[in-house]
Amino acid sequence: MSAAAVRVAQSAQVTKPFRKPPKIRKFLKRDENGLPVPHVRNLIVRDTHPCRLMDHYHTTLQDDLMYMTYNHTSGTPPQPRQIRLTYDPNDPYTKNRYNPPVGGSQLGKKPAPPTTAENVVRLEKIIIHSMLKEALTNRSNLLGLIAAFRALSGDTEGGGGRPSSEGVQVVKGKKNVGGWMRPGLPVGAQVELKGPKMYDFLGSLVEFVLPRIREFPGIVMPPASSTMNSPSGVAGVVSFGLPPEAMGYFPQIEVNLDSYPRSYGMHIHFVTNAVGIGAQNRARALVSGFQIPFARK
């Protein structure tokens, strides 16, 4: 045996292949389920890529909406008319009584605020919800719907360290309906999207889903003769529904479509900051700027 081989054999005998692991001096805390809690605090996942539709709103769409919806008023705006209440508020016998205004609810007559650069109509959140009647007999039927909404939104409760993220929520009944639905029973699921995830969902909707739906004329609008002085007309919310086959057109679902037991229909609500008379039209102008079509009856 050569001298080099002898030195290698001697070093192999001296050096041990494994060492004892270090002793754990401080154990991790455990939660109520007995699972260890890591020493990670305030973990926040930042945006990994620029949001194209968000940039489109701030660079182009916001200025166009300001020009289209600007309403110039000269002079001092008049003071709002004082609506008389049904009962005298100073009467001690009606102090704690429900006191509605004379003439019914004034919500549909609420005037729009003065147009400024700060209150240009913008998209605040998107709410997706779906009702599943089969969940009344067996709540496990909601698992497929919850998994589909998680894939669509990419949002989980507290995901990315954002406390405002609530993830997919189970919708429960609030009153008795015909004896088949009772308060507290799960009847569906919903998810609220804000920020970049909201615009990512909107991009998938207008680029992959709506063009592939057969005979989709657009979001049906009420007739031109209908009044806009209604609670829905001053709310600034645009809502429409999608059939069950439309869920398979989303790329997040289409890539793994066989993993879901069925397709689910859904309702989509675009919630904006528009309020007052004409808020519905301003909200439609904003949504149409994201290439969502509308059609009259």
Side-chain angles (χ1 to χ4, degrees):
M1 183 181 295
S2 62
V6 172
R7 288 194 298 270
V8 172
Q10 291 177 354
S11 62
Q13 294 177 0
V14 174
T15 305
K16 295 181 179 180
F18 301 102
R19 295 182 298 176
K20 290 184 178 180
K23 294 183 179 180
I24 300 178
R25 302 182 180 274
K26 185 177 180 181
F27 291 90
L28 296 176
K29 296 181 180 180
R30 296 183 179 272
D31 57 7
E32 61 274 5
N33 298 322
L35 300 176
V37 180
H39 299 298
V40 179
R41 299 178 181 178
N42 300 327
L43 179 62
I44 300 177
V45 179
R46 305 296 180 183
D47 298 333
T48 57
H49 59 281
C51 188
R52 182 177 59 84
L53 289 180
M54 183 184 295
D55 294 341
H56 169 65
Y57 172 78
H58 289 291
T59 57
T60 304
L61 193 55
Q62 188 177 27
D63 297 338
D64 295 343
L65 291 171
M66 179 68 183
Y67 175 76
M68 293 170 57
T69 61
Y70 182 76
N71 185 15
H72 178 71
T73 56
S74 60
T76 305
Q79 295 294 331
R81 186 169 63 92
Q82 297 295 330
I83 305 299
R84 183 173 61 87
L85 301 178
T86 304
Y87 308 107
D88 185 8
N90 298 324
D91 188 357
Y93 294 98
T94 61
K95 183 177 180 180
N96 297 320
R97 189 174 182 177
Y98 174 64
N99 201 356
V102 175
S105 176
Q106 304 295 319
L107 183 61
K109 302 177 183 178
K110 183 179 180 181
T115 305
T116 62
E118 287 74 19
N119 64 355
V120 180
V121 57
R122 65 180 181 274
L123 194 60
E124 292 187 341
K125 60 183 177 180
I126 296 178
I127 301 178
I128 315 168
H129 80 89
S130 178
M131 310 301 290
L132 192 62
K133 190 176 181 179
E134 291 79 3
L136 295 172
T137 57
N138 190 355
R139 64 182 60 189
S140 63
N141 292 327
L142 280 176
L143 295 178
L145 178 60
I146 294 175
F149 274 8
R150 283 187 175 181
L152 283 178
S153 62
D155 198 8
T156 56
E157 184 178 0
R162 296 180 175 88
S164 61
S165 176
E166 298 180 355
V168 182
Q169 302 291 320
V170 177
V171 179
K172 297 182 180 180
K174 296 183 179 181
K175 59 182 180 180
N176 291 310
V177 178
W180 58 272
M181 187 174 70
R182 300 189 302 273
L185 289 181
V187 294
Q190 72 172 13
V191 59
E192 293 186 3
L193 301 178
K194 299 179 181 179
K197 291 184 181 297
M198 171 182 66
Y199 289 102
D200 291 341
F201 171 80
L202 183 58
S204 300
L205 178 67
V206 300
E207 294 175 3
F208 297 98
V209 180
L210 297 183
R212 299 169 65 182
I213 298 179
R214 294 184 178 180
E215 300 180 358
F216 179 73
I219 301 177
V220 179
M221 298 173 58
S225 59
S226 61
T227 178
M228 296 299 297
N229 298 339
S230 61
S232 61
V234 299
V237 180
V238 178
S239 304
F240 68 101
L242 291 179
E245 58 269 14
M247 178 171 283
Y249 298 150
F250 284 94
Q252 303 91 331
I253 303 296
E254 188 178 13
V255 70
N256 204 8
L257 186 60
D258 296 337
S259 299
Y260 303 96
R262 49 174 288 192
S263 296
Y264 307 92
M266 69 183 76
H267 284 87
I268 303 175
H269 307 276
F270 296 95
V271 182
T272 67
N273 66 329
V275 293
I277 298 176
Q280 189 83 342
N281 291 331
R282 294 194 298 272
R284 291 187 184 123
L286 169 65
V287 175
S288 64
F290 292 115
Q291 299 181 2
I292 293 183
F294 288 86
R296 288 284 186 187
K297 287 185 179 179

PDB file of all heavy atoms in Angstrom, residues 222-252:
ATOM      1  N   PRO A 222     -80.756  47.346 -17.525  1.00  0.00           N
ATOM      2  CA  PRO A 222     -82.205  47.609 -17.506  1.00  0.00           C
ATOM      3  C   PRO A 222     -82.610  48.499 -18.667  1.00  0.00           C
ATOM      4  O   PRO A 222     -81.762  49.146 -19.296  1.00  0.00           O
ATOM      5  CB  PRO A 222     -82.409  48.305 -16.148  1.00  0.00           C
ATOM      6  CG  PRO A 222     -81.081  48.892 -15.813  1.00  0.00           C
ATOM      7  CD  PRO A 222     -80.063  47.942 -16.378  1.00  0.00           C
ATOM      8  N   PRO A 223     -83.883  48.555 -18.996  1.00  0.00           N
ATOM      9  CA  PRO A 223     -84.317  49.420 -20.102  1.00  0.00           C
ATOM     10  C   PRO A 223     -83.979  50.880 -19.848  1.00  0.00           C
ATOM     11  O   PRO A 223     -83.817  51.318 -18.703  1.00  0.00           O
ATOM     12  CB  PRO A 223     -85.834  49.191 -20.145  1.00  0.00           C
ATOM     13  CG  PRO A 223     -86.054  47.889 -19.465  1.00  0.00           C
ATOM     14  CD  PRO A 223     -84.978  47.766 -18.434  1.00  0.00           C
ATOM     15  N   ALA A 224     -83.874  51.642 -20.920  1.00  0.00           N
ATOM     16  CA  ALA A 224     -83.532  53.056 -20.786  1.00  0.00           C
ATOM     17  C   ALA A 224     -84.611  53.846 -20.073  1.00  0.00           C
ATOM     18  O   ALA A 224     -84.346  54.912 -19.503  1.00  0.00           O
ATOM     19  CB  ALA A 224     -83.268  53.652 -22.168  1.00  0.00           C
ATOM     20  N   SER A 225     -85.850  53.321 -20.093  1.00  0.00           N
ATOM     21  CA  SER A 225     -86.948  54.018 -19.445  1.00  0.00           C
ATOM     22  C   SER A 225     -86.998  53.791 -17.940  1.00  0.00           C
ATOM     23  O   SER A 225     -87.791  54.433 -17.249  1.00  0.00           O
ATOM     24  CB  SER A 225     -88.279  53.584 -20.067  1.00  0.00           C
ATOM     25  OG  SER A 225     -88.450  52.176 -19.916  1.00  0.00           O
ATOM     26  N   SER A 226     -86.190  52.864 -17.421  1.00  0.00           N
ATOM     27  CA  SER A 226     -86.220  52.573 -15.987  1.00  0.00           C
ATOM     28  C   SER A 226     -85.584  53.718 -15.207  1.00  0.00           C
ATOM     29  O   SER A 226     -84.667  54.396 -15.682  1.00  0.00           O
ATOM     30  CB  SER A 226     -85.472  51.262 -15.697  1.00  0.00           C
ATOM     31  OG  SER A 226     -84.121  51.378 -16.079  1.00  0.00           O
ATOM     32  N   THR A 227     -86.069  53.921 -14.002  1.00  0.00           N
ATOM     33  CA  THR A 227     -85.565  55.002 -13.168  1.00  0.00           C
ATOM     34  C   THR A 227     -84.271  54.591 -12.477  1.00  0.00           C
ATOM     35  O   THR A 227     -84.060  53.415 -12.168  1.00  0.00           O
ATOM     36  CB  THR A 227     -86.608  55.392 -12.105  1.00  0.00           C
ATOM     37  OG1 THR A 227     -86.067  56.416 -11.270  1.00  0.00           O
ATOM     38  CG2 THR A 227     -86.987  54.203 -11.240  1.00  0.00           C
ATOM     39  N   MET A 228     -83.413  55.571 -12.258  1.00  0.00           N
ATOM     40  CA  MET A 228     -82.159  55.338 -11.559  1.00  0.00           C
ATOM     41  C   MET A 228     -82.222  55.797 -10.105  1.00  0.00           C
ATOM     42  O   MET A 228     -81.258  55.679  -9.377  1.00  0.00           O
ATOM     43  CB  MET A 228     -81.013  56.067 -12.276  1.00  0.00           C
ATOM     44  CG  MET A 228     -80.742  55.557 -13.672  1.00  0.00           C
ATOM     45  SD  MET A 228     -80.252  53.831 -13.719  1.00  0.00           S
ATOM     46  CE  MET A 228     -78.721  53.906 -12.810  1.00  0.00           C
ATOM     47  N   ASN A 229     -83.380  56.347  -9.690  1.00  0.00           N
ATOM     48  CA  ASN A 229     -83.534  56.795  -8.311  1.00  0.00           C
ATOM     49  C   ASN A 229     -84.052  55.648  -7.446  1.00  0.00           C
ATOM     50  O   ASN A 229     -85.124  55.715  -6.856  1.00  0.00           O
ATOM     51  CB  ASN A 229     -84.477  57.994  -8.236  1.00  0.00           C
ATOM     52  CG  ASN A 229     -83.939  59.182  -9.004  1.00  0.00           C
ATOM     53  OD1 ASN A 229     -82.740  59.267  -9.266  1.00  0.00           O
ATOM     54  ND2 ASN A 229     -84.816  60.101  -9.369  1.00  0.00           N
ATOM     55  N   SER A 230     -83.297  54.592  -7.392  1.00  0.00           N
ATOM     56  CA  SER A 230     -83.642  53.427  -6.589  1.00  0.00           C
ATOM     57  C   SER A 230     -82.429  53.054  -5.736  1.00  0.00           C
ATOM     58  O   SER A 230     -81.310  53.513  -6.003  1.00  0.00           O
ATOM     59  CB  SER A 230     -84.041  52.255  -7.495  1.00  0.00           C
ATOM     60  OG  SER A 230     -82.974  51.894  -8.344  1.00  0.00           O
ATOM     61  N   PRO A 231     -82.627  52.264  -4.694  1.00  0.00           N
ATOM     62  CA  PRO A 231     -81.465  51.875  -3.877  1.00  0.00           C
ATOM     63  C   PRO A 231     -80.359  51.200  -4.672  1.00  0.00           C
ATOM     64  O   PRO A 231     -79.179  51.419  -4.413  1.00  0.00           O
ATOM     65  CB  PRO A 231     -82.079  50.933  -2.837  1.00  0.00           C
ATOM     66  CG  PRO A 231     -83.496  51.398  -2.706  1.00  0.00           C
ATOM     67  CD  PRO A 231     -83.891  51.840  -4.077  1.00  0.00           C
ATOM     68  N   SER A 232     -80.722  50.387  -5.676  1.00  0.00           N
ATOM     69  CA  SER A 232     -79.687  49.757  -6.487  1.00  0.00           C
ATOM     70  C   SER A 232     -79.040  50.746  -7.446  1.00  0.00           C
ATOM     71  O   SER A 232     -77.879  50.593  -7.822  1.00  0.00           O
ATOM     72  CB  SER A 232     -80.282  48.588  -7.279  1.00  0.00           C
ATOM     73  OG  SER A 232     -81.306  49.053  -8.153  1.00  0.00           O
ATOM     74  N   GLY A 233     -79.788  51.795  -7.854  1.00  0.00           N
ATOM     75  CA  GLY A 233     -79.238  52.768  -8.782  1.00  0.00           C
ATOM     76  C   GLY A 233     -78.240  53.712  -8.158  1.00  0.00           C
ATOM     77  O   GLY A 233     -77.417  54.294  -8.860  1.00  0.00           O
ATOM     78  N   VAL A 234     -78.300  53.887  -6.848  1.00  0.00           N
ATOM     79  CA  VAL A 234     -77.370  54.789  -6.166  1.00  0.00           C
ATOM     80  C   VAL A 234     -76.304  54.025  -5.388  1.00  0.00           C
ATOM     81  O   VAL A 234     -75.550  54.621  -4.622  1.00  0.00           O
ATOM     82  CB  VAL A 234     -78.138  55.717  -5.206  1.00  0.00           C
ATOM     83  CG1 VAL A 234     -79.135  56.559  -5.968  1.00  0.00           C
ATOM     84  CG2 VAL A 234     -78.837  54.926  -4.112  1.00  0.00           C
ATOM     85  N   ALA A 235     -76.246  52.706  -5.557  1.00  0.00           N
ATOM     86  CA  ALA A 235     -75.299  51.898  -4.787  1.00  0.00           C
ATOM     87  C   ALA A 235     -73.930  51.824  -5.445  1.00  0.00           C
ATOM     88  O   ALA A 235     -72.925  51.673  -4.761  1.00  0.00           O
ATOM     89  CB  ALA A 235     -75.852  50.486  -4.585  1.00  0.00           C
ATOM     90  N   GLY A 236     -73.866  51.891  -6.776  1.00  0.00           N
ATOM     91  CA  GLY A 236     -72.579  51.793  -7.447  1.00  0.00           C
ATOM     92  C   GLY A 236     -72.016  50.399  -7.491  1.00  0.00           C
ATOM     93  O   GLY A 236     -70.797  50.209  -7.408  1.00  0.00           O
ATOM     94  N   VAL A 237     -72.876  49.380  -7.591  1.00  0.00           N
ATOM     95  CA  VAL A 237     -72.460  47.976  -7.647  1.00  0.00           C
ATOM     96  C   VAL A 237     -72.958  47.382  -8.948  1.00  0.00           C
ATOM     97  O   VAL A 237     -74.147  47.504  -9.276  1.00  0.00           O
ATOM     98  CB  VAL A 237     -72.993  47.172  -6.442  1.00  0.00           C
ATOM     99  CG1 VAL A 237     -72.548  45.722  -6.526  1.00  0.00           C
ATOM    100  CG2 VAL A 237     -72.532  47.791  -5.135  1.00  0.00           C
ATOM    101  N   VAL A 238     -72.071  46.729  -9.690  1.00  0.00           N
ATOM    102  CA  VAL A 238     -72.417  46.052 -10.937  1.00  0.00           C
ATOM    103  C   VAL A 238     -72.353  44.556 -10.689  1.00  0.00           C
ATOM    104  O   VAL A 238     -71.320  44.026 -10.249  1.00  0.00           O
ATOM    105  CB  VAL A 238     -71.468  46.453 -12.078  1.00  0.00           C
ATOM    106  CG1 VAL A 238     -71.815  45.707 -13.355  1.00  0.00           C
ATOM    107  CG2 VAL A 238     -71.517  47.952 -12.313  1.00  0.00           C
ATOM    108  N   SER A 239     -73.456  43.861 -10.945  1.00  0.00           N
ATOM    109  CA  SER A 239     -73.555  42.435 -10.650  1.00  0.00           C
ATOM    110  C   SER A 239     -74.020  41.684 -11.898  1.00  0.00           C
ATOM    111  O   SER A 239     -74.830  42.206 -12.680  1.00  0.00           O
ATOM    112  CB  SER A 239     -74.534  42.171  -9.503  1.00  0.00           C
ATOM    113  OG  SER A 239     -74.172  42.897  -8.346  1.00  0.00           O
ATOM    114  N   PHE A 240     -73.531  40.477 -12.058  1.00  0.00           N
ATOM    115  CA  PHE A 240     -73.997  39.593 -13.121  1.00  0.00           C
ATOM    116  C   PHE A 240     -73.609  38.172 -12.738  1.00  0.00           C
ATOM    117  O   PHE A 240     -72.820  37.948 -11.801  1.00  0.00           O
ATOM    118  CB  PHE A 240     -73.422  39.976 -14.490  1.00  0.00           C
ATOM    119  CG  PHE A 240     -71.937  39.744 -14.615  1.00  0.00           C
ATOM    120  CD1 PHE A 240     -71.450  38.621 -15.270  1.00  0.00           C
ATOM    121  CD2 PHE A 240     -71.027  40.642 -14.088  1.00  0.00           C
ATOM    122  CE1 PHE A 240     -70.088  38.406 -15.396  1.00  0.00           C
ATOM    123  CE2 PHE A 240     -69.679  40.451 -14.202  1.00  0.00           C
ATOM    124  CZ  PHE A 240     -69.197  39.325 -14.858  1.00  0.00           C
ATOM    125  N   GLY A 241     -74.180  37.213 -13.419  1.00  0.00           N
ATOM    126  CA  GLY A 241     -73.940  35.813 -13.134  1.00  0.00           C
ATOM    127  C   GLY A 241     -73.282  35.087 -14.284  1.00  0.00           C
ATOM    128  O   GLY A 241     -73.373  35.515 -15.448  1.00  0.00           O
ATOM    129  N   LEU A 242     -72.622  33.978 -13.968  1.00  0.00           N
ATOM    130  CA  LEU A 242     -71.982  33.121 -14.957  1.00  0.00           C
ATOM    131  C   LEU A 242     -72.540  31.707 -14.835  1.00  0.00           C
ATOM    132  O   LEU A 242     -72.766  31.227 -13.721  1.00  0.00           O
ATOM    133  CB  LEU A 242     -70.466  33.091 -14.769  1.00  0.00           C
ATOM    134  CG  LEU A 242     -69.691  34.367 -15.096  1.00  0.00           C
ATOM    135  CD1 LEU A 242     -68.205  34.157 -14.834  1.00  0.00           C
ATOM    136  CD2 LEU A 242     -69.911  34.795 -16.537  1.00  0.00           C
ATOM    137  N   PRO A 243     -72.767  31.019 -15.949  1.00  0.00           N
ATOM    138  CA  PRO A 243     -73.282  29.645 -15.885  1.00  0.00           C
ATOM    139  C   PRO A 243     -72.211  28.681 -15.380  1.00  0.00           C
ATOM    140  O   PRO A 243     -71.021  29.019 -15.320  1.00  0.00           O
ATOM    141  CB  PRO A 243     -73.669  29.357 -17.339  1.00  0.00           C
ATOM    142  CG  PRO A 243     -72.790  30.262 -18.150  1.00  0.00           C
ATOM    143  CD  PRO A 243     -72.606  31.502 -17.334  1.00  0.00           C
ATOM    144  N   PRO A 244     -72.593  27.457 -15.014  1.00  0.00           N
ATOM    145  CA  PRO A 244     -71.600  26.506 -14.489  1.00  0.00           C
ATOM    146  C   PRO A 244     -70.486  26.168 -15.474  1.00  0.00           C
ATOM    147  O   PRO A 244     -69.343  25.956 -15.067  1.00  0.00           O
ATOM    148  CB  PRO A 244     -72.440  25.266 -14.146  1.00  0.00           C
ATOM    149  CG  PRO A 244     -73.820  25.794 -13.923  1.00  0.00           C
ATOM    150  CD  PRO A 244     -73.978  26.951 -14.869  1.00  0.00           C
ATOM    151  N   GLU A 245     -70.796  26.124 -16.786  1.00  0.00           N
ATOM    152  CA  GLU A 245     -69.745  25.758 -17.739  1.00  0.00           C
ATOM    153  C   GLU A 245     -68.674  26.833 -17.854  1.00  0.00           C
ATOM    154  O   GLU A 245     -67.573  26.560 -18.343  1.00  0.00           O
ATOM    155  CB  GLU A 245     -70.347  25.492 -19.113  1.00  0.00           C
ATOM    156  CG  GLU A 245     -71.125  26.644 -19.708  1.00  0.00           C
ATOM    157  CD  GLU A 245     -72.602  26.587 -19.358  1.00  0.00           C
ATOM    158  OE1 GLU A 245     -72.963  25.817 -18.445  1.00  0.00           O
ATOM    159  OE2 GLU A 245     -73.387  27.320 -19.994  1.00  0.00           O
ATOM    160  N   ALA A 246     -68.951  28.052 -17.392  1.00  0.00           N
ATOM    161  CA  ALA A 246     -67.951  29.115 -17.477  1.00  0.00           C
ATOM    162  C   ALA A 246     -66.815  28.909 -16.497  1.00  0.00           C
ATOM    163  O   ALA A 246     -65.711  29.412 -16.719  1.00  0.00           O
ATOM    164  CB  ALA A 246     -68.607  30.473 -17.229  1.00  0.00           C
ATOM    165  N   MET A 247     -67.041  28.158 -15.414  1.00  0.00           N
ATOM    166  CA  MET A 247     -65.972  27.945 -14.445  1.00  0.00           C
ATOM    167  C   MET A 247     -64.823  27.150 -15.056  1.00  0.00           C
ATOM    168  O   MET A 247     -63.656  27.364 -14.727  1.00  0.00           O
ATOM    169  CB  MET A 247     -66.511  27.229 -13.206  1.00  0.00           C
ATOM    170  CG  MET A 247     -65.459  26.925 -12.156  1.00  0.00           C
ATOM    171  SD  MET A 247     -66.121  26.314 -10.598  1.00  0.00           S
ATOM    172  CE  MET A 247     -66.717  27.837  -9.895  1.00  0.00           C
ATOM    173  N   GLY A 248     -65.113  26.247 -15.969  1.00  0.00           N
ATOM    174  CA  GLY A 248     -64.059  25.465 -16.603  1.00  0.00           C
ATOM    175  C   GLY A 248     -63.204  26.254 -17.559  1.00  0.00           C
ATOM    176  O   GLY A 248     -62.175  25.750 -18.019  1.00  0.00           O
ATOM    177  N   TYR A 249     -63.578  27.496 -17.878  1.00  0.00           N
ATOM    178  CA  TYR A 249     -62.789  28.329 -18.772  1.00  0.00           C
ATOM    179  C   TYR A 249     -61.704  29.115 -18.052  1.00  0.00           C
ATOM    180  O   TYR A 249     -60.828  29.680 -18.704  1.00  0.00           O
ATOM    181  CB  TYR A 249     -63.696  29.310 -19.530  1.00  0.00           C
ATOM    182  CG  TYR A 249     -64.722  28.639 -20.406  1.00  0.00           C
ATOM    183  CD1 TYR A 249     -65.947  29.244 -20.667  1.00  0.00           C
ATOM    184  CD2 TYR A 249     -64.478  27.388 -20.981  1.00  0.00           C
ATOM    185  CE1 TYR A 249     -66.897  28.632 -21.477  1.00  0.00           C
ATOM    186  CE2 TYR A 249     -65.419  26.769 -21.777  1.00  0.00           C
ATOM    187  CZ  TYR A 249     -66.625  27.395 -22.024  1.00  0.00           C
ATOM    188  OH  TYR A 249     -67.555  26.779 -22.814  1.00  0.00           O
ATOM    189  N   PHE A 250     -61.764  29.203 -16.738  1.00  0.00           N
ATOM    190  CA  PHE A 250     -60.698  29.878 -16.002  1.00  0.00           C
ATOM    191  C   PHE A 250     -59.419  29.033 -16.077  1.00  0.00           C
ATOM    192  O   PHE A 250     -59.471  27.806 -15.886  1.00  0.00           O
ATOM    193  CB  PHE A 250     -61.089  30.074 -14.539  1.00  0.00           C
ATOM    194  CG  PHE A 250     -62.074  31.187 -14.321  1.00  0.00           C
ATOM    195  CD1 PHE A 250     -63.433  30.929 -14.280  1.00  0.00           C
ATOM    196  CD2 PHE A 250     -61.635  32.494 -14.149  1.00  0.00           C
ATOM    197  CE1 PHE A 250     -64.345  31.945 -14.077  1.00  0.00           C
ATOM    198  CE2 PHE A 250     -62.540  33.521 -13.945  1.00  0.00           C
ATOM    199  CZ  PHE A 250     -63.895  33.253 -13.912  1.00  0.00           C
ATOM    200  N   PRO A 251     -58.276  29.632 -16.352  1.00  0.00           N
ATOM    201  CA  PRO A 251     -57.041  28.820 -16.446  1.00  0.00           C
ATOM    202  C   PRO A 251     -56.710  28.096 -15.153  1.00  0.00           C
ATOM    203  O   PRO A 251     -56.152  26.991 -15.193  1.00  0.00           O
ATOM    204  CB  PRO A 251     -55.971  29.872 -16.790  1.00  0.00           C
ATOM    205  CG  PRO A 251     -56.716  31.034 -17.346  1.00  0.00           C
ATOM    206  CD  PRO A 251     -58.044  31.047 -16.669  1.00  0.00           C
ATOM    207  N   GLN A 252     -57.055  28.666 -14.002  1.00  0.00           N
ATOM    208  CA  GLN A 252     -56.750  28.014 -12.734  1.00  0.00           C
ATOM    209  C   GLN A 252     -57.553  26.727 -12.555  1.00  0.00           C
ATOM    210  O   GLN A 252     -57.103  25.806 -11.872  1.00  0.00           O
ATOM    211  CB  GLN A 252     -57.041  28.959 -11.560  1.00  0.00           C
ATOM    212  CG  GLN A 252     -56.293  30.276 -11.617  1.00  0.00           C
ATOM    213  CD  GLN A 252     -57.064  31.350 -12.340  1.00  0.00           C
ATOM    214  OE1 GLN A 252     -57.861  31.071 -13.237  1.00  0.00           O
ATOM    215  NE2 GLN A 252     -56.831  32.599 -11.957  1.00  0.00           N
TER     216      GLN A 252
END
